[in-house]
Amino acid sequence: MSLDASDITAAYPGTNDVLVRQSLSVPPGELVGLAGPSGSGKSTMARVLALLLAPREGVVRIDGVDVSGVGFSVPPDVRRKVALLFQSPRSATDPRMTLRSIIEQPAVIARRAADVDELADSVGLTTDLLARKPHQVSDGQLQRACVARALAQQPKYLICDEATAMLDAATTAAIVRLIQRTADAAGMGVLMISHDVELLSAIGADTTFIGS
């Protein structure tokens, strides 16, 4: 049981291949790192594994089952197994929505209830922040809301695409500890993508290097 990329070759439409026959595996409950220089295809791999970009070659496999298609062409019960945490929380959220609406968005889409107050508390957000919009909170607070949104999806695997690159050192440490605690408690597999090899080493991630 794992989230697997097997011999993935991928690129965006109209461009040359960024990834060429790259493979990695993210087991449940484990923290895996992916490192490489800018332009090496780290974010491309993130989007392939999150079922947002179809590879030109190779297979994405979730818990032993090959997955074809991307986005809403993938069955919801399969698609929701993987959540993606983006580098920039501001570009990943609707500025018109409150933090409460942002956090509960996956549950609303899935037509089920979510305890937003509990999710907010689990990521270190106080309830008074939930009525605010993105421009009324810090980058760190907004990224915490994005973590809570990912948890509301109840994923089995979480992909963090340079999720702390835009944060200061103290906030980075807090977000990483939060993700580690959540992974341990929920048995969630985490792919931590970063150019910061020291960070990946500090959190004990088994790291794959690409483009080097």
Side-chain angles (χ1 to χ4, degrees):
M1 304 289 276
S2 56
L3 171 63
D4 299 298
S6 180
D7 291 327
I8 296 295
T9 295
Y12 295 99
T15 66
N16 294 327
D17 293 337
V18 178
L19 290 172
V20 179
R21 299 185 66 81
Q22 294 286 341
S23 300
L24 61 81
S25 181
V26 184
E30 294 192 21
L31 190 62
V32 175
L34 179 63
S38 296
S40 60
K42 300 187 302 296
S43 291
T44 304
M45 178 64 85
R47 294 182 68 83
V48 168
L49 283 172
L51 310 177
L52 297 176
L53 176 67
R56 292 181 176 174
E57 297 179 13
V59 175
V60 174
R61 189 173 294 112
I62 301 178
D63 297 336
V65 178
D66 292 358
V67 181
S68 60
V70 294
F72 290 103
S73 67
V74 180
D77 59 323
V78 176
R79 188 172 68 246
R80 291 178 193 136
K81 287 186 177 183
V82 184
L84 178 59
L85 188 61
F86 293 92
Q87 175 177 341
S88 170
R90 300 204 179 275
S91 62
T93 52
D94 186 334
R96 300 167 296 179
M97 296 175 69
T98 63
L99 266 59
R100 178 177 294 277
S101 296
I102 288 168
I103 292 171
E104 69 181 353
Q105 192 174 27
V108 170
I109 292 171
R111 298 182 180 180
R112 55 174 170 75
D115 190 333
V116 176
D117 289 354
E118 181 177 328
L119 285 166
D121 182 67
S122 74
V123 300
L125 288 175
T126 54
T127 54
D128 62 292
L129 295 174
L130 297 179
R132 299 185 187 182
K133 295 182 178 180
H135 73 277
Q136 297 173 311
V137 298
S138 68
D139 287 347
Q141 289 168 329
L142 187 56
Q143 190 67 301
R144 287 174 185 268
C146 289
V147 174
R149 177 176 62 182
L151 299 181
Q153 186 176 318
Q154 299 178 352
K156 192 170 181 178
Y157 304 99
L158 176 64
I159 300 169
C160 301
D161 184 15
E162 297 276 12
T164 61
M166 300 181 67
L167 307 178
D168 60 52
T171 305
T172 291
I175 293 291
V176 169
R177 285 196 300 268
L178 166 63
I179 291 170
Q180 287 180 299
R181 288 198 307 270
T182 302
D184 290 341
M188 182 174 63
V190 177
L191 177 62
M192 185 72 71
I193 299 173
S194 180
H195 65 277
D196 188 343
V197 178
E198 290 184 4
L199 172 64
L200 296 176
S201 177
I203 62 178
D206 181 11
T207 300
T208 297
F209 294 87
I210 61 175
S212 59

